[in-house]
């Protein structure tokens, strides 16, 4: 599934289902909060801003489900 900046997505977290909007697509490794998230053009990491808080998460596409707006 191809995701883009602006897509509204949901994912499962320790706190249950969370939803947010993709703000960036990383196609190379990115250091975030002291941890390297591995990414490539074939398997990007998506930076997502939560709908309910200012929290930002990084996830690969396999963990995300696109929501209809």
């Amino acid at each position: 599934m191809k995701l883009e900046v602006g897509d509204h997505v949901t994912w499962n977290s320790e706190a249950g289902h969370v939803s947010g909007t993709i703000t960036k697509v990383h196609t190379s490794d990115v250091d975030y909060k002291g941890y390297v998230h591995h990414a490539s053009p074939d398997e990007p990491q998506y930076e997502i801003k939560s709908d309910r808080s200012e929290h930002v998460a990084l996830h690969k596409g396999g963990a995300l489900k696109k929501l209809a707006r």
Side-chain angles (χ1 to χ4, degrees), residues 4-63:
E4 303 173 341
V5 170
D7 283 349
H8 196 226
V9 295
T10 185
W11 67 98
N12 218 351
S13 76
E14 308 82 39
H17 286 289
V18 181
S19 60
T21 303
I22 295 174
T23 57
K24 289 184 186 171
V25 178
H26 297 278
T27 55
S28 60
D29 291 356
V30 58
D31 188 331
Y32 183 71
K33 293 186 177 179
Y35 177 78
V36 175
H37 292 263
H38 297 286
S40 68
D42 290 334
E43 209 171 350
Q45 286 273 357
Y46 297 95
E47 192 168 317
I48 309 141
K49 183 171 180 278
S50 170
D51 288 339
R52 294 190 197 162
S53 70
E54 294 299 309
H55 182 76
V56 172
L58 274 97
H59 291 292
K60 289 195 174 179

